[in-house]
Amino acid sequence: QAFFCLLLCIPWGSSCPPSCQCTEWAGAKAVLCSSRHLEEIPKDIPEDAVFLKLDANSITGIPSNAFRHLYHLEELDLSKNAIEKIDRAAFKGVAAGLRTLDLSSNRIHSIPKEALLTLNAKLRLANNPWHCECALQELLWEARLDPDSIQDITCHTAPREEYVGKPLLQVLDAGVNFCSMHQRTMDVAVFITMFGWFAMVIVYVICYVRHNQEDTYKHMDYMKSLPSTQDHAE
């Protein structure tokens, strides 16, 4: 039994990242990179990895195609990092097989919904400084969120101060619709823009008319100042 436990601690394969530990767990390949002071996702993660733990590091972003070669990946833990930016194609290539994705306890303000809506994985998004807006509301409605973590998705910032600090689900249950609010904001912005252009056109027309009137008055005064034909005849 001691020899078997020792085998679990011995890295397998030459492709294991030097900062990680590669072993087997529940009969599948596991790559353990927890608390290794990583600032980015390792490039040489084995293709047959099924479990990948990158939690408790200093990763700040997830670029496009970061896990594209991991065809067998089922569980991905990115919790307790410093992730702020997630590209739209960050999880491209693992959408079909991924079962769980943990992005909790990061620094995520917003995320392109396209990055997550293609996934069948159960998502954990709690304890991030979320900006409550239409995109996050749609994500809550359409994505497969972990029921146990939904209550911990809190509005760090919001269009109105009264929503700040409250769980997003509580705000939505109160009847708030960030998408309709966003649409009203867009309508007001369009109206203001159209009014601005209209005002500019009116000002231009007024200036043009006044300028032509001044030229006409000047021309009339000039014509009056010229000696008439009758004066020449005398």
Side-chain angles (χ1 to χ4, degrees):
Q1 184 177 1
F3 179 74
F4 178 73
C5 292
L6 180 62
L7 285 178
L8 290 180
C9 297
I10 297 176
W12 47 264
S14 58
S15 61
C16 188
S19 56
C20 303
Q21 179 186 4
C22 297
T23 184
E24 290 203 13
W25 182 49
K29 301 297 176 62
V31 181
L32 311 178
C33 309
S34 306
S35 304
R36 300 301 175 96
H37 307 289
L38 298 175
E39 296 182 358
E40 61 182 16
I41 298 166
K43 306 292 184 184
D44 49 354
I45 298 172
E47 292 185 1
D48 54 351
V50 176
F51 306 101
L52 176 57
K53 288 184 66 65
L54 290 162
D55 56 302
N57 283 292
S58 302
I59 299 171
T60 58
I62 307 176
S64 297
N65 303 312
F67 309 99
R68 189 171 187 176
H69 66 292
L70 303 179
Y71 308 107
H72 305 282
L73 193 62
E74 294 182 6
E75 295 188 14
L76 176 57
D77 188 354
L78 287 159
S79 64
K80 301 177 183 177
N81 274 280
I83 297 172
E84 295 184 20
K85 186 176 186 299
I86 299 177
D87 290 348
R88 295 177 183 274
F91 304 105
K92 187 175 182 179
V94 297
L98 201 62
R99 294 186 306 175
T100 62
L101 172 60
D102 195 342
L103 291 167
S104 60
S105 301
N106 276 283
R107 300 177 184 174
I108 305 172
H109 296 273
S110 62
I111 185 172
K113 64 178 183 178
E114 296 85 356
L116 299 181
L117 292 183
T118 57
L119 300 175
N120 293 319
K122 184 183 293 185
L123 303 174
R124 298 188 183 104
L125 304 175
N127 301 317
N128 280 287
W130 289 107
H131 174 63
C132 288
E133 56 180 348
C134 181
L136 183 60
Q137 175 178 315
E138 291 178 341
L139 189 63
L140 187 68
W141 285 342
E142 301 176 39
R144 291 188 60 225
L145 297 180
D146 184 354
D148 296 332
S149 65
I150 291 179
Q151 287 292 344
D152 294 322
I153 299 178
T154 304
C155 297
H156 183 73
T157 56
R160 295 183 182 178
E161 188 67 26
E162 59 192 282
Y163 307 141
V164 175
K166 294 183 178 180
L168 175 60
L169 195 60
Q170 177 183 331
V171 174
L172 297 179
D173 286 343
V176 176
N177 189 331
F178 290 105
C179 294
S180 62
M181 188 181 303
H182 175 73
Q183 184 60 46
R184 289 197 299 270
T185 303
M186 290 293 293
D187 292 343
V188 171
V190 170
F191 174 78
I192 292 175
T193 302
M194 292 180 63
F195 179 80
W197 279 106
F198 182 74
M200 288 176 61
V201 171
I202 294 298
V203 171
Y204 174 80
V205 171
I206 292 174
C207 292
Y208 180 80
V209 170
R210 286 183 176 178
H211 180 74
N212 284 348
Q213 285 180 341
E214 291 176 358
D215 288 346
T216 301
Y217 291 149
K218 289 180 181 179
H219 182 71
M220 291 177 62
D221 291 340
Y222 174 74
M223 294 298 294
K224 290 179 181 180
S225 66
L226 292 176
S228 63
T229 305
Q230 184 178 359
D231 292 338
H232 281 297
E234 293 176 356

